[in-house]
Structures are given as structure tokens and as C-alpha cells.
Amino acid sequence: MYQSNDNDVSPELPVTAVPVISQHQQSNHRQVLRLARGLTHQESLENFDFNNSQDLPPTLTTTTTSGQQQKQKKISDNNIKNVSDSTTSGDNGSPATTTTSHNSTAATPPILFSDHHHPSHIYEQQQPQKQKQKQQKNYQIFGGRNKFFCDGRLMTSREYGAFTVTLILLIAPCILFAVFTCPFLWKEVHPSIPIVFAYVFILALVSMIKTSWSDPGIIPRDLDTPTTDDRNNNNSSSISINSDILLPKEIRIKDMSWTLKYCETCRIYRPPRASHCRQCDNCVENEDHHCIWLNNCIGKRNYRSFFVCILTSSILCLYIIAFCLVHILTVLQEDGSDLSFGYMFSKAPVSFVLAIVCFVLLFIVGGLTLYHCSLIMRGVTTHEQLRAHIMKAKDYPSNPYISDNPFINITRVLCQPQPKSYLGRRKFVD
């Protein structure tokens, strides 16, 4: 027989014995009660006094059949009648004592759960999952004008029109050459010619996609936010400036003085050779330029793939021009006819058109390739070249990253390992 205090129990609700909940689970007993009531069908669990539960007998984890559940229901009905009788006597003036009798032969242990399947453990397992669903990743709160795809694995700028044209100019001539010219070269000249062409085409396409859909070396934002002391120093200066803009810093690299400018958009001190891209609204490390045809900035992390892209594209143009002429001349030699343009076009129309188109593209892509070859050998970027041209300076400004040896400059640009991204795009926000 178990008793409960009349101060802790409401006279309108019945009281039954329930499983003992340990001390460390009482902090969240309300959540446990909601789950336990739905699973054990105990309608009076909310009024159970956990403070007086030490006297209850130990319970065992058991499973009951339908017959045992019916017996337990009858016992609970008898307990409700006893509680109502005791509360009635309390109203007449006598002290009310709530008693609950248990038949040792007919009573069955209450239905409990194992530690692994206890409602409190279920609740604790559900909470981290909800928090993880609400948590955001770094690319979802990125402040630039970039677009992210595949859960932050790929990133590019927002202008897709020029990049689509570039893809067409690369893929369309190569497909026409593979369909109409390569079969003739495979049979009449040598099978290695189409194989080499396929390798160069795949290399150009992959390097183009990698340049367009990768991080160019974006520097994270808010690394040097102005403090109160910085604002006071700006206000006390003789020059009228915004208090949120920090003054430039002077540093020394290899015994050379270098000025670090403050970017008020990204709120960082830009490292040497870094620039802020207006199209992407980011500060990019070692930014060379923003390429609208590849829809991305060209910086420290994707300059090598950019150079491979324009170099292989120039090789493809030369390759297609050369072997289209081989196709046309071979056909004409077999026929032994005149070399008029109309007759050549009638015998090999696709090769004739491809030779003209690739000849025009070679001036564009080939000229760009030669220009960047000269930049790499001198160890300068496009921004540094344009600034020197605008300032009409014969010599480039002092740069600790430039060497007089062109082979060292080529090695630094093309042979160094690719650095890791600073953004951590797929990591969760702290």
C-alpha cells in the first residue's frame, strides 16, 4: 500500500503507481511524460509526485499480454474508487488519506521501457537532429555575388550568357571535326590523329569547367573589423575619413616596404597582389582579372587551369586547321581536278568551313595565350601590367614575388601545388 500527500495531489484526478524515473531525468520530466503517456496510456501521469517516489517498489522491464493488460486496467479502476472515497471523507472534515491497494497475486508489474528505448532517450536523440537541420553552412550565408551548386562544392559568378557562348565555340567545332573529318583521317592517314585530338579536347573542356566552377582564391570577409580604438584614431586624424575605414598598413616582405590597403566592402586588409572584383564583389588573392567568358575571377587557385584552357584551345584550333587542310588536299589529289574554292567546298564542305572558323578563333585565343605567356615569364599579373601602363612606368613597382629568371617565374605560377580554399564552403556556421 502506497500513500501520497494530499497537498501534492488534486482531489479531482486519480493517482496510480507509475514507473520510477531517476534523478537525472527529472529536469526534463515534462517531455518524458508526454511521450510516456502516449505509449503507456496512463492518463494520470502529469499529477505524479516525483519527490515522493523513493518508497515505490523497484520495477522490472516486462512485456504484458492482452490478458495482463485487462487485469491491470481492473486494478486501476479499483484504485480510482478508493481515491474518490478518501477524498469524500476529507470533505466532511476528517483528514483525507489517499491509499492504493495492490493485490500481490493479481497485480502485474507496470509496463516500462529499457534504457535504450526510454522516452527520454528518444527525446535526446531527436534534439540534435532538429538542431542539425536548422544549422546553416558557410556558402548559404556568403556575402558575395557568387552562385553555389551541389551543396557548395561548385561556385561561379552570376552571368551565364558569355560562358554559354564559350562552351558552344569550344564544343561545336570539335564535334563537327570528330563526326565528318576524323573517320577519313582514321582510315586514310593514321588512327593516332583522332586519339590525340580527343585527348586535347577533353583536357581543354575539363580545364575550362574547373576554371569556371572553382574558388579563384576568395579571401574571407570581416577579418579586420574596426574596433573602438581604430575609430578614435580615425576621428583624431587630420584627414576627414569614415570611421569604419581603417588606415593603410605598412609591412616589409624581403626587406621591401609594402602597403596593405583596407577594403571597406570586405572589411579586411588586402594581402599583397590581391584585388577586389566588382563583378563578384569579393577580394581575390593574386587576382589576374575577371573573365566574363568563363564567368569567374582568375586568381591564385584557378590561374593554372585557366592557362591550360587557353593553351589547349589554341592547340585545338591549329590541329583542326591543319588536318582539315589535309582532308581537303587528299580528296583533291584523288580526283585530280582543279583547286578552285567551289570544288573544294563541294568535296569537303565541313572541313572547309571548320578551317575558316578555327582560323578566326586562333587570332583571339592564340593572341590571349601569347599575352599570358609573356606575363608568366615576367612574373606579373594583368592588373599589375595595366597599372604600369596607366602610370606610364617603364619599370614595374617593386615586387618581392618577381624574379629576373623567367624559368623561376614559370615554376612559381605553373608548378606550385594548388592552395586550399579559405572559405570552408561546406562547413557549418559556428
Side-chain angles (χ1 to χ4, degrees), residues 219 224 246-249 260-263 267-271:
I219 304 173
D224 301 298
L246 300 182
L247 297 176
K249 283 184 179 181
L260 299 183
K261 296 182 179 180
Y262 185 76
C263 179
R267 294 196 289 183
I268 60 170
Y269 279 104
R270 286 197 293 264

Side-chain angles (χ1 to χ4, degrees), residues 33 90 145 175 182 184 193 206 218 228 249 254 256 289 309 317 338 353 423:
L33 289 175
R145 297 175 183 172
I175 291 178
C182 284
F184 175 84
I193 297 175
V206 171
I218 298 174
T228 304
K249 283 184 179 181
K254 294 181 180 181
M256 294 183 182
H289 67 285
C309 175
C317 290
D338 58 341
V353 173
L423 299 180

Side-chain angles (χ1 to χ4, degrees), residues 153-156 163 166-167 170-171 201-215 293-296 302 305-306 308-309 312-313:
R153 291 179 176 86
L154 304 176
M155 62 177 299
T156 186
F163 179 66
T166 307
L167 279 177
L170 174 65
I171 296 175
F201 168 71
I202 292 173
L203 190 61
L205 182 62
V206 171
S207 60
M208 176 184 288
I209 294 175
K210 186 178 185 299
T211 305
S212 177
W213 295 84
S214 62
D215 177 16
W293 301 104
L294 297 179
N295 194 31
N296 202 356
N302 64 350
S305 59
F306 166 76
V308 173
C309 175
T312 52
S313 299

Side-chain angles (χ1 to χ4, degrees), residues 166-301:
T166 307
L167 279 177
I168 294 173
L169 291 176
L170 174 65
I171 296 175
C174 293
I175 291 178
L176 294 175
F177 181 79
V179 173
F180 294 96
T181 309
C182 284
F184 175 84
L185 298 174
W186 182 283
K187 295 178 181 179
E188 301 297 333
V189 183
H190 200 275
S192 62
I193 297 175
I195 295 175
V196 174
F197 167 75
Y199 172 76
V200 178
F201 168 71
I202 292 173
L203 190 61
L205 182 62
V206 171
S207 60
M208 176 184 288
I209 294 175
K210 186 178 185 299
T211 305
S212 177
W213 295 84
S214 62
D215 177 16
I218 298 174
I219 304 173
R221 295 171 179 253
D222 301 330
L223 297 179
D224 301 298
T225 55
T227 61
T228 304
D229 296 335
D230 296 329
R231 293 189 178 94
N232 294 333
N233 293 333
N234 291 343
N235 293 330
S236 61
S237 61
S238 59
I239 304 174
S240 177
I241 58 175
N242 189 354
S243 60
D244 290 335
I245 301 176
L246 300 182
L247 297 176
K249 283 184 179 181
E250 293 289 337
I251 62 172
R252 295 190 67 83
I253 302 175
K254 294 181 180 181
D255 296 332
M256 294 183 182
S257 179
W258 195 281
T259 302
L260 299 183
K261 296 182 179 180
Y262 185 76
C263 179
E264 56 183 292
T265 303
C266 300
R267 294 196 289 183
I268 60 170
Y269 279 104
R270 286 197 293 264
R273 311 187 81 180
S275 299
H276 186 85
C277 177
R278 295 182 179 180
Q279 288 80 5
C280 297
D281 197 23
N282 297 311
C283 283
V284 181
E285 188 178 14
N286 287 20
E287 188 197 21
D288 188 85
H289 67 285
H290 180 87
C291 183
I292 61 172
W293 301 104
L294 297 179
N295 194 31
N296 202 356
C297 289
I298 309 301
K300 186 175 183 179
R301 296 190 72 252

Side-chain angles (χ1 to χ4, degrees), residues 283-343:
C283 283
V284 181
E285 188 178 14
N286 287 20
E287 188 197 21
D288 188 85
H289 67 285
H290 180 87
C291 183
I292 61 172
W293 301 104
L294 297 179
N295 194 31
N296 202 356
C297 289
I298 309 301
K300 186 175 183 179
R301 296 190 72 252
N302 64 350
Y303 183 83
R304 181 168 51 192
S305 59
F306 166 76
F307 182 75
V308 173
C309 175
I310 59 176
L311 180 62
T312 52
S313 299
S314 301
I315 294 173
L316 279 176
C317 290
L318 291 172
Y319 201 88
I320 292 174
I321 292 171
F323 286 101
C324 282
L325 293 177
V326 170
H327 182 202
I328 295 171
L329 294 176
T330 305
V331 171
L332 292 177
Q333 287 179 359
E334 291 177 357
D335 295 342
S337 303
D338 58 341
L339 298 178
S340 62
F341 284 100
Y343 186 78

Side-chain angles (χ1 to χ4, degrees), residues 109-178:
I111 303 173
L112 291 178
F113 302 91
S114 63
D115 293 339
H116 181 69
H117 298 287
H118 197 275
S120 64
H121 292 276
I122 298 174
Y123 176 76
E124 292 173 359
Q125 292 175 0
Q126 292 176 351
Q127 286 298 106
Q129 295 178 357
K130 293 181 180 179
Q131 294 177 359
K132 189 174 182 181
Q133 292 175 356
K134 295 179 181 179
Q135 215 171 3
Q136 288 182 323
K137 293 186 177 181
N138 289 329
Y139 78 91
Q140 296 175 329
I141 59 171
F142 185 72
R145 297 175 183 172
N146 298 85
K147 283 282 189 178
F148 295 88
F149 302 93
C150 298
D151 197 22
R153 291 179 176 86
L154 304 176
M155 62 177 299
T156 186
S157 187
R158 296 176 180 267
E159 303 296 332
Y160 305 103
F163 179 66
T164 304
V165 174
T166 307
L167 279 177
I168 294 173
L169 291 176
L170 174 65
I171 296 175
C174 293
I175 291 178
L176 294 175
F177 181 79

